[in-house]
Amino acid sequence: MAELTRVGIAGTGSYAPERVVPNSEFEKTLDTSHEWIVKRTGIHQRHFAAPDEATSHLSVVAAERALENAGVDAKDIDLIVVGTLTPDYPLPSTACLVQDRLGAKNAAAFDLAAACTGFVSAFSTGEAYIAAGRAKHALVIGAETLSRVIDNSDRTSCILFGDGAGAAVLSPLSECGQGEILETVQGADGSGYDFIHIPAGGSVKPASQETVEMREHAIKLRGREVYRFAVARMSELIERMLEGHDPEELGLLVPHQVNRRIIDAALDRLGMTAEKVVINIQEYANTSAATVPMALDEGLRAGRIEKGQLLVMVAFGAGLTWGACKVRW
Ligand code: UT7
């Protein structure tokens, strides 16, 4: 077997739509309060896409920023993978729309359905393609317009989500010289498929007047079960990524922004503080596949990691799915 190519992170970019929606918006129509939402989730606000903005539009802005940051031309991208649960259309993929608008003429493009794990799965896929010599430069994206799939009458779920996009350009380490991907893991447990799901609009229950009336095109959550799963899986994944390393080697931890309490509880289990953790849920809420790349871009642009330190990303979500990546910056 040919030797695997070592892969690095050439650049990152992110984008949040302009419109900011504070918690107080929900107080107008629901029995909820800013105080409850902050105390139970850490969320203060979220960004919602404009009516004429879809997942592809958010993706393109994040991707352009990532390409510029990487110094890579769109025409040199061979692969585009978009992790999303809110594609522009059921058909075709959002990745194809992104490919066209970027002018990435030489790229293969497809979407990947792994919910909140979407970016980490896209990242692992891009890394594997480059490592195996099937692509040279991969553009991996996590992007969502969750505002289009929330049930505004359900206070237990609608307050949790926001819109946004994040992207990374992956390249051979010999070219980009930074952010070597050391390890990626992915997993799934489909027995928990209904912990977080959208019941209608697929082949089980195609769209009908009844499904619309029953709000079955919106996200349904079993919040407490997800909470328990999330704390356990997040701490296990962090532990796994740091196995065999001195804890001091960690420079930056980028977790899925699911709930501030879930992040704190996982850190607590591991006896870690939040000092090296990127937390921006207060501003963007849970943007599903976009949380990790948005937080990654924020952490890197703020210069929060030094050369040689470890960068760890962890995500989990509907499916159930989970994934993690370890990078030597
Ligand atoms: O990325 C995956 C998607 N994310 C998730 O699945 C979220 C994971 N779960 C969570 O983050 C938390 O479980 C929630 C934030 C959803 C809920 O927090 P909690 O501390 O687990 O609250 P709870 O479900 O135990 O509910 C406590 C109370 C309930 O009232 P009763 O039964 O005690 O009278 C809820 O009805 O809080 C009530 N409640 C609310 N009250 C005010 C639930 N949502 C709200 C709300 N405002 N928005």
Side-chain angles (χ1 to χ4, degrees), residues 95-323:
C96 285
L97 306 175
V98 172
Q99 185 248 17
D100 177 47
R101 284 194 217 131
L102 289 175
K105 289 183 173 31
N106 301 308
F110 56 86
D111 288 359
L112 186 152
C116 303
T117 314
F119 175 76
V120 170
S121 295
F123 187 93
S124 298
T125 305
E127 190 261 347
Y129 268 67
I130 299 170
R134 302 278 302 271
K136 190 165 180 199
H137 301 286
L139 173 63
V140 293
I141 298 172
E144 305 284 5
T145 40
L146 295 174
S147 58
R148 307 276 153 76
V149 292
I150 54 177
D151 177 352
N152 275 314
S153 68
D154 178 8
R155 68 173 184 174
T156 65
S157 63
C158 71
I159 51 110
L160 295 170
F161 300 112
D163 300 341
V169 176
L170 307 182
S171 300
L173 186 68
S174 56
E175 287 202 15
C176 67
Q178 64 176 18
E180 181 179 9
I181 303 166
L182 300 180
E183 187 183 359
T184 66
V185 294
Q186 286 170 273
D189 175 6
S191 70
Y193 82 96
D194 61 348
F195 277 32
I196 312 160
H197 83 310
I198 297 180
S203 55
V204 168
K205 221 183 229 197
S208 67
Q209 196 169 333
E210 193 195 341
T211 60
V212 173
E213 279 163 10
M214 299 296 287
R215 298 177 191 274
E216 289 182 321
H217 297 276
I219 297 181
K220 312 286 175 207
L221 284 184
R222 285 163 54 186
R224 282 182 209 179
E225 278 121 312
V226 176
Y227 193 102
R228 279 193 292 275
F229 156 73
V231 173
R233 196 45 36 95
M234 174 153 4
S235 48
E236 280 162 27
L237 287 170
I238 297 170
E239 201 165 32
R240 162 103 193 259
M241 288 294 106
L242 293 178
E243 222 171 63
H245 293 281
D246 182 329
E248 289 304 307
E249 282 183 69
L250 180 67
L252 203 59
L253 175 61
V254 181
H256 174 38
Q257 312 285 309
V258 53
N259 179 327
R260 173 74 208 231
R261 279 163 59 218
I262 290 175
I263 298 173
D264 286 341
L267 294 175
D268 214 42
R269 272 196 192 189
L270 299 169
M272 289 170 70
T273 65
E275 191 199 344
K276 293 173 175 173
V277 187
V278 185
I279 297 176
N280 60 14
I281 189 169
Q282 64 284 356
E283 177 163 0
Y284 302 111
N286 178 353
T287 56
S288 188
T291 70
V292 168
M294 288 173 82
L296 172 68
D297 186 47
E298 182 178 316
L300 292 178
R301 283 177 194 257
R304 287 184 61 183
I305 189 163
E306 285 168 25
K307 211 161 174 52
Q309 288 183 319
L310 290 180
L311 164 68
V312 170
M313 295 179 258
V314 291
F316 39 83
L320 301 165
T321 56
W322 56 88

Side-chain angles (χ1 to χ4, degrees), residues 19 21-39 43-46 48 152-155 158-159:
R19 185 177 159 220
V21 178
N23 290 340
S24 56
E25 277 289 304
F26 295 96
E27 294 174 350
K28 294 177 189 161
T29 51
L30 294 171
D31 179 16
T32 189
S33 66
H34 172 68
E35 291 70 28
W36 190 96
I37 299 170
V38 170
K39 188 162 175 245
I43 297 165
H44 288 241
Q45 60 173 51
R46 71 284 295 135
F48 278 177
N152 275 314
S153 68
D154 178 8
R155 68 173 184 174
C158 71
I159 51 110

